[in-house]
Amino acid sequence: MGIFDWLGSLFGKAPSAGGELDIPLDQGMDVIQLALRLGRPAGLLRAFQPAYSEFTIPKRSGGSRRILAPTPETKDIQRCLLRRLLGKLRAHPAANGFEKGRSIVTNAVEHVGKAVVLRMDIRDFFPSTSAARVTVFFRRIGWNGEAAEILTRLTTHDGGLPQGAPTSPRLSNLVNFPLDARLAGLADAMSHRLPMNPRTGVSRAGGGVGQPLVSYTRYADDITFSFSEDSHNAVSGTIRATKRIAEDFGYRLHTKKKLRIARRGDRQMVTGLVVNDVVNLPRRTRRMLRAVEHHHATGREATLTPEQFAGWCALEEMVLRQSRPG
């Protein structure tokens, strides 16, 4: 069996990717219980219609990004929902964006010292996280049909998650637990497909003590796999399988413009950080910061204000602290 046929048999469409449930609509916690949880009258929850103001901001890669800023009343109820309902729920360990105790550093550290780093990007991540999937999520965590419909109305707009709502980042991780589980399963399966050293029974390139041969993490729309062995079949098979899995959940990948494959001789970047040997800011950024520090110390004009420089220094300190805990 070829690797693509093998992947197809292993990662066929999962029932959890769709929007169908066998749970009766009247089964689960109701609107009265939701009102008690949120500290809001049930009548208000039934009648409330979220509102947003729309604007665009430029993307670094070109084009513009649509932002939906909730009105103060909408933001207030969404923050309450985030704090009292979503805050303590568990996202998949591979999800590093918008999660307490996780960051761009914890996302990057999983990929240090690998032979190949593969990065892919999901198009229009928040609006493509559909309202139907959000409803399924709320039903699965125990709310009945009416309560799930209200929760979906409070947290979605135009059929997806609104980028700008305080609930969208957390919901994107919670709703995508099945996506992360399947992609983590893909990484585990690929680990068994990498070429092995016949003498030691482990990958020739090694992965470090306790480090997986193939690692997977996700930071919002940014998907990263890394491989301890440079295997063309494993890398190309992972790209193909990831595309198919993402499509099962209603997503499309940037398979050309934002697909990046970096090998040992290249600069390997994950969420803006270099991971070839250790997690670090890019060399150009570190040189810039040292120059700015010198300019500030000598009273010369610098490219960063003291406040901006302090922010960069805090980021550099976070990189050192979270990637080198010892």
Side-chain angles (χ1 to χ4, degrees):
M1 179 184 290
I3 188 169
F4 295 136
D5 296 328
W6 172 76
L7 286 170
S9 66
L10 186 60
F11 296 103
K13 189 168 183 177
S16 60
E20 298 182 1
L21 279 175
D22 295 328
I23 306 172
L25 288 174
D26 61 352
Q27 181 174 320
M29 296 177 286
D30 61 18
V31 179
I32 301 301
Q33 290 168 294
L34 178 61
L36 290 171
R37 181 77 64 90
L38 299 182
R40 301 290 197 279
L44 171 67
L45 297 178
R46 287 188 170 105
F48 189 82
Q49 294 295 328
Y52 302 84
S53 60
E54 180 178 340
F55 60 94
T56 59
I57 58 174
K59 293 181 180 180
R60 286 187 299 175
S61 57
S64 60
R65 189 185 308 279
R66 182 189 185 209
I67 302 297
L68 291 163
T71 61
E73 296 82 5
T74 301
K75 182 181 290 187
D76 179 65
I77 199 167
Q78 288 175 339
R79 284 178 170 170
C80 177
L81 199 158
L82 179 65
R83 183 175 63 254
R84 299 192 180 189
L85 184 64
L86 303 178
K88 295 183 180 180
L89 299 178
R90 185 169 64 92
H92 194 278
N96 284 274
F98 323 121
E99 294 295 319
K100 185 177 181 180
R102 304 183 206 174
S103 67
I104 60 171
V105 183
T106 61
N107 187 66
V109 76
E110 299 295 325
H111 307 287
V112 171
K114 293 296 189 72
V116 182
V117 174
L118 166 65
R119 291 166 45 209
M120 291 172 278
D121 187 82
I122 299 173
R123 297 186 183 190
D124 302 319
F125 177 61
F126 284 107
S128 295
T129 305
S130 71
R133 292 183 60 217
V134 173
T135 300
V136 168
F137 166 74
F138 284 125
R139 295 299 321 282
R140 289 194 183 281
I141 65 171
W143 297 100
N144 71 10
E146 184 188 13
E149 184 278 327
I150 289 173
L151 287 165
T152 301
R153 172 162 39 86
L154 293 175
T155 56
T156 64
H157 183 74
D158 286 346
L161 293 179
Q163 186 157 355
T167 46
S168 292
R170 191 86 229 281
L171 262 178
S172 72
N173 284 342
L174 296 173
V175 169
N176 279 309
F177 195 110
L179 169 68
D180 289 325
R182 288 185 68 190
L183 293 176
L186 171 63
D188 183 63
M190 279 299 180
S191 294
H192 299 290
R193 300 287 293 192
L194 285 182
M196 295 293 171
N197 186 316
R199 291 184 300 171
T200 64
V202 299
S203 166
R204 294 185 183 91
V209 177
Q211 189 176 21
L213 301 183
V214 180
S215 298
Y216 160 72
T217 62
R218 182 178 60 82
Y219 193 98
D221 58 355
D222 192 348
I223 290 172
T224 305
F225 289 90
S226 58
F227 305 78
S228 64
E229 183 76 20
D230 189 349
S231 165
H232 172 78
N233 282 345
V235 174
S236 59
T238 298
I239 294 170
R240 179 167 172 170
T242 299
K243 180 180 178 181
R244 290 168 58 181
I245 292 171
E247 288 173 350
D248 284 350
F249 291 88
Y251 295 124
R252 293 183 302 151
L253 299 182
H254 288 282
T255 52
K256 293 183 180 179
K257 184 179 179 181
K258 294 187 178 181
L259 188 151
R260 297 286 185 270
I261 301 173
R263 293 179 164 82
R264 287 191 188 280
D266 307 319
R267 186 178 67 165
Q268 296 173 325
M269 298 281 291
V270 177
T271 44
L273 302 172
V274 180
V275 296
N276 291 72
D277 299 308
V278 295
V279 178
N280 215 335
L281 294 174
R283 181 178 300 175
R284 181 177 179 180
T285 301
R286 286 181 278 129
R287 286 176 175 173
M288 178 272 292
L289 292 176
R290 299 293 80 79
V292 169
E293 182 179 32
H294 179 70
H295 282 205
H296 284 169
T298 56
R300 298 164 59 189
E301 185 177 352
T303 56
L304 297 177
T305 66
E307 293 77 14
Q308 291 171 328
F309 178 66
W312 277 103
C313 289
L315 173 61
E316 190 172 33
E317 168 62 25
M318 183 182 76
V319 171
L320 291 172
R321 183 178 68 254
Q322 294 188 1
S323 65
R324 304 162 181 78

